[in-house]
Amino acid sequence: MQAKGQAALVTGAASGLGAQTARALVEAGARVTLLDIDEPALHALAEELGRGAAQAVRCDITDAAGVEAALDAGARAHGTARILINCAGIGGAKRLVDRDGNAMPQDAFARIVNVNLLGTFNVVRLAAARMTQAEPMDDGERGVIVCTASVAAFDGQIGQAAYAASKGGLVSLTLPLARDLAQFGVRVVTIAPGLFLTPLLYALPQEVQQSLAASIPFPKRLGKPEEFAALALHVVGNVALNGEVIRLDGALRMPPR
C-alpha cells in the first residue's frame, strides 16, 4: 500500500518515534490523526504538519470509549484509516525483589502491561474492525498495522520484568493477529527497536548516552527516530511483509544490566 492519499493513525504521536513517524507519513502524502495524552505537544505537532494533513486528538489508549471517539474523529476528518502505527507506551524499571527483600508491587507490573500490551491491543482491535469494512484495494489489501515492541522482549534486563513482558506480549501477538486478519487483507507487523535517541535518552547525561551507544555493534550510535519511521513506511509499502517481528537495533544484544 502506498501511503499517499491514505488516512493514518499514529499513537504516541506527541514525541519520539511516534512524532517522527507522523512526519514521515505526512511527507509521503498521508493524512494523519495524531493520538496521545500530551495535548500541548500533540497540537504543536499538528500545527507543524499543517491542519489539512494532520489533526490532534487526545486519547488514552487504555480507554475503549476514548479510542472509539478518536477513531470517529479521524474518520470524520480523513476517512477510514487504512494505516495504524502504534508507538504509545511507557517504561519503568523495578526489581522483582529489592535489596531490602520487598516484593515488586503488583500494580507496578500491571501499570506497564496495561498501557504497553493491553492499550496497544485495544487500539488494534477497534481500528482493525473498521479496516475490515473498507473497500479492498486492487491487490485485495485493506489495511496495515504496525506495533512497536522492543529488544527487551528478547533481552530483558534486570528490573525490566514488566517492560519485557509487555513488549514480549506484542511480539507473541503479531503472528496470530496477522493470521486472524489475513482473510480481510489487513497486515500486522511489529518493529522491535533497540536504543533510540528519544526524549527518554535525551534526558540522560551525554556520557551516559555515549556509553549506551558504545554497546551497539554497528552503527556505533543510538538509533535515530527517522530510521524507525523509514522502516515503518517501508512496512506500509511492502505488501509481502506480514506476521513478522523486525529487530531494528544495530545487532545489539542487551546484557543483564
Side-chain angles (χ1 to χ4, degrees), residues 20-251:
Q20 195 58 45
T21 301
R23 292 186 181 100
L25 282 165
V26 168
E27 288 174 7
R31 303 181 304 276
V32 185
T33 299
L34 312 168
L35 308 182
D36 207 300
I37 59 173
D38 185 346
E39 285 190 270
L42 204 61
H43 286 287
L45 180 61
E47 290 291 342
E48 173 196 327
L49 297 177
R51 289 294 179 177
Q55 68 163 340
V57 180
R58 187 191 184 283
C59 179
D60 176 352
I61 63 170
T62 67
D63 176 47
V67 172
E68 287 278 25
L71 295 178
D72 286 342
R76 285 194 298 270
H78 303 140
T80 299
R82 292 185 185 268
I83 300 168
L84 168 61
I85 313 291
N86 295 286
C87 293
I90 60 174
K94 192 174 287 290
R95 289 174 179 258
L96 184 65
V97 178
D98 67 21
R99 289 185 173 85
D100 296 322
N102 300 309
M104 177 182 178
Q106 178 79 351
D107 60 357
F109 186 93
R111 174 176 170 269
I112 292 175
V113 172
N114 188 46
V115 174
N116 294 355
L117 179 56
L118 299 182
T120 298
F121 181 78
N122 188 38
V123 179
V124 168
R125 71 184 183 90
L126 295 173
R130 298 179 183 222
M131 284 183 192
T132 62
Q133 300 304 306
E135 286 296 315
M137 302 173 77
D138 290 344
D139 58 3
E141 188 174 22
R142 285 187 168 93
V144 57
I145 296 168
V146 178
C147 297
T148 304
S150 165
V151 294
F154 311 97
D155 310 328
Q157 295 182 295
I158 290 170
Q160 285 190 329
Y163 186 72
S166 69
K167 296 302 188 176
L170 293 175
V171 167
S172 295
L173 271 175
T174 304
L175 183 58
L177 290 182
R179 287 172 165 172
D180 278 357
L181 296 173
Q183 62 181 312
F184 303 107
V186 175
R187 296 183 290 120
V188 182
V189 172
T190 293
I191 300 172
L195 297 173
F196 270 69
L197 197 53
T198 60
L200 180 65
L201 288 186
Y202 269 125
L204 297 177
Q206 189 65 36
E207 60 271 19
V208 176
Q209 293 185 29
Q210 292 171 350
S211 175
L212 291 171
S215 69
I216 301 171
F218 186 81
K220 279 197 161 306
R221 59 168 173 77
L222 299 175
K224 300 175 182 180
E226 293 87 348
E227 292 164 335
F228 177 93
L231 179 55
L233 257 69
H234 179 76
V235 170
V236 170
N238 190 334
V239 72
L241 278 173
N242 193 17
E244 186 57 84
V245 178
I246 305 170
R247 289 183 68 132
L248 186 65
D249 59 17

Side-chain angles (χ1 to χ4, degrees), residues 8-20:
L9 301 166
V10 179
T11 73
S15 64
L17 304 179
Q20 195 58 45

